[in-house]
Amino acid sequence: MSIFRLFKKQSSAPVARERLQVLLAHERVSTGNDLVQLLREEILAVIAKHVDLDNERVQVKMDRDEHVSILEIDVEIPRDATKQAA
Amino acid sequence: MGKVIVVTSGKGGVGKTTSTAALGAALAQRGDKVVVVDFDVGLRNLDLVMGAERRVVYDLVNVIQGDAKLPQALIRDKRVESLFLLPASQTRDKDNLTPEGVERVIGELKEHFDWIICDSPAGIERGATLAMRHADIAVVVTNPEVSSVRDSDRIIGLLDSKTVKAESGERMEKHLLLTRYDAVRAERGDMLKVDDVLEILSIPLLGIIPESMDVLKASNIGAPVTVADSRSAPALAYFDAARRLAGEILPITVPGDKRSGGLLSKIFSRRAA
């Protein structure tokens, strides 16, 4: 990657595109419609019933397509964090 | 019954008013009966861009509050016979726009016009949400620049949740109008390309308006760019966009791109509205 950069002048548009994609995937969740907020909270609540959730280790993203939106919830579960099933 | 279009963007200064005037005039130049409505109460500018600033007597707020009848407030364009303007108030503030009042005025306009084009104020406050509230179609004006794309994404979220169409479970028809595009800079990698913006926002493309001196010249003399110089590059792009709004299927060309009409435009034409 860095070798190619030596030969090619760095262009800024790909950086803009990358930054926007990352930012918007997260913003769509926090500023999106009420349904998305509700889904996010309830899904996380269900998971929290069974494992200790560390908010730092939860990634919530939303991708938008022309016809559907995809809510992506990435939860990192440490092996030893599993609560005993009641 | 007429169709209601909202021209919106979230961010200011991207070309909403220019696009409202140009699309409205282009549709009227085809013979359709068109009214352009300024929703930017307190900071009106559509009258100035249309060259009708000295002819404003009554405005949208007067009609909503019952101080004037709709025909008294409508201003007929002096160049394009079937084009009308409903100006915003310059002295009142946006709190004078009531949801019921806006609904009544839009309903009345729909009976008399083929197209009602609402020029939204910037932001996501009351004026902007009322401008989009009754729309059938949204034209999301975006510059190939990070803050504009971000704000457009936010507006798309609002169009899908806070409009009458969205609330009644229908799909809001949304189109991207990419303005101030510079094909040379995009090709050099210094500006987001058309397909970058399309991929991020995921709505169909209505048209690409090139960055051009002709737009400023048109606003200087107070004419929509399609009227001021109908052969200029931005005017041609707006005429095509208007035809697409009216349902025609046209290949999209990238203004200023040598490959226009080639592979690139074929790719975009698949995505065209």
Side-chain angles (χ1 to χ4, degrees):
Chain A
M1 189 63 183
S2 55
I3 298 170
F4 288 113
R5 277 185 189 165
L6 286 178
F7 297 103
K8 202 180 168 209
K9 209 180 88 190
Q10 175 86 49
S11 54
S12 58
V15 182
R17 178 196 153 110
E18 187 72 29
R19 289 175 62 219
L20 275 170
Q21 277 171 334
V22 172
L23 173 74
L24 294 178
H26 289 95
E27 275 192 350
R28 281 172 194 146
V29 180
S30 52
T31 61
N33 59 41
D34 305 341
L35 175 66
V36 173
Q37 288 289 354
L38 191 71
L39 284 175
R40 174 188 191 273
E41 277 166 32
E42 292 196 3
I43 291 169
L44 288 178
V46 168
I47 299 172
K49 265 205 263 180
H50 302 284
V51 291
D52 286 322
L53 275 187
D54 179 356
N55 269 338
E56 302 266 296
R57 295 178 189 275
V58 177
Q59 291 276 329
V60 188
K61 293 199 289 181
M62 186 146 96
D63 277 330
R64 190 160 51 219
D65 212 336
E66 209 171 307
H67 301 286
V68 290
S69 293
I70 301 162
L71 180 66
E72 196 180 314
I73 302 185
D74 229 317
V75 185
E76 215 177 284
I77 304 173
R79 291 242 171 92
D80 54 358
T82 319
K83 284 180 185 167
Q84 288 297 324
Chain B
M1 285 288 265
K3 280 209 166 164
V4 183
I5 300 176
V6 62
V7 178
T8 185
S9 70
K11 190 176 184 301
V14 296
K16 282 182 296 296
T17 302
T18 299
S19 297
T20 301
L23 288 174
L27 285 166
Q29 283 165 291
R30 294 162 43 97
D32 293 352
K33 207 171 170 200
V34 181
V35 61
V36 289
V37 185
D38 194 346
F39 270 82
D40 205 345
V41 174
L43 282 174
R44 75 172 177 218
N45 273 318
L46 187 56
D47 56 333
L48 198 52
V49 169
M50 301 274 296
E53 70 275 13
R54 290 159 62 111
R55 300 170 61 208
V56 177
V57 182
Y58 294 110
D59 57 54
L60 177 60
V61 170
N62 294 139
V63 177
I64 283 178
Q65 296 187 332
D67 302 332
K69 295 230 182 307
L70 193 51
Q72 291 176 289
L74 288 171
I75 302 169
R76 185 196 283 266
D77 190 88
K78 286 194 165 160
R79 299 144 302 205
V80 187
E81 202 183 313
S82 59
L83 178 60
F84 291 77
L85 164 71
L86 180 54
S89 168
Q90 184 72 335
T91 50
R92 318 286 189 94
D93 67 33
K94 60 185 186 313
D95 296 338
N96 289 289
L97 290 181
T98 59
E100 305 74 32
V102 169
E103 184 176 5
R104 180 174 57 81
V105 172
I106 297 276
E108 210 172 317
L109 288 171
K110 276 167 91 167
E111 287 170 25
H112 298 101
F113 291 91
D114 299 315
W115 302 96
I116 297 100
I117 309 186
C118 305
D119 184 18
S120 172
I124 50 172
E125 306 298 319
R126 188 188 182 88
T129 50
L130 279 175
M132 69 170 66
R133 180 110 193 107
H134 300 279
D136 300 305
I137 302 169
V139 173
V140 180
V141 183
T142 308
N143 291 167
E145 175 271 324
V146 287
S147 51
S148 173
V149 174
R150 179 198 213 173
D151 292 358
S152 292
D153 192 86
R154 183 80 188 273
I155 282 290
I156 291 168
L158 291 178
L159 288 166
D160 284 336
S161 58
K162 306 283 183 207
T163 52
V164 172
K165 277 228 156 182
E167 284 169 7
S168 57
E170 284 177 71
R171 246 179 86 77
M172 166 67 88
E173 194 183 313
K174 302 175 291 290
H175 300 276
L176 176 72
L177 187 65
L178 196 61
T179 53
R180 309 198 70 162
Y181 191 71
D182 185 331
V184 175
R185 288 171 69 188
E187 203 43 60
R188 267 205 316 253
D190 292 332
M191 182 182 268
L192 286 167
K193 288 188 182 172
V194 179
D195 32 0
D196 290 335
V197 182
L198 281 176
E199 195 191 325
I200 293 167
L201 295 178
S202 294
I203 57 172
L205 184 61
L206 182 67
I208 305 163
I209 313 299
E211 169 81 64
S212 166
M213 276 300 294
D214 295 306
V215 172
L216 182 60
K217 275 193 215 163
S219 75
N220 283 344
I221 62 167
V225 69
T226 54
V227 173
D229 183 355
S230 61
R231 306 195 138 228
S232 64
L236 295 174
Y238 277 119
F239 280 125
D240 278 0
R243 287 170 66 186
R244 287 185 199 103
L245 273 178
E248 287 185 46
I249 294 166
L250 300 169
I252 293 219
T253 52
V254 182
D257 187 355
K258 291 186 190 74
R259 290 178 296 171
S260 283
L263 181 64
L264 207 60
S265 67
K266 278 183 191 133
I267 295 167
F268 293 137
S269 68
R270 280 194 294 124
R271 301 205 197 185

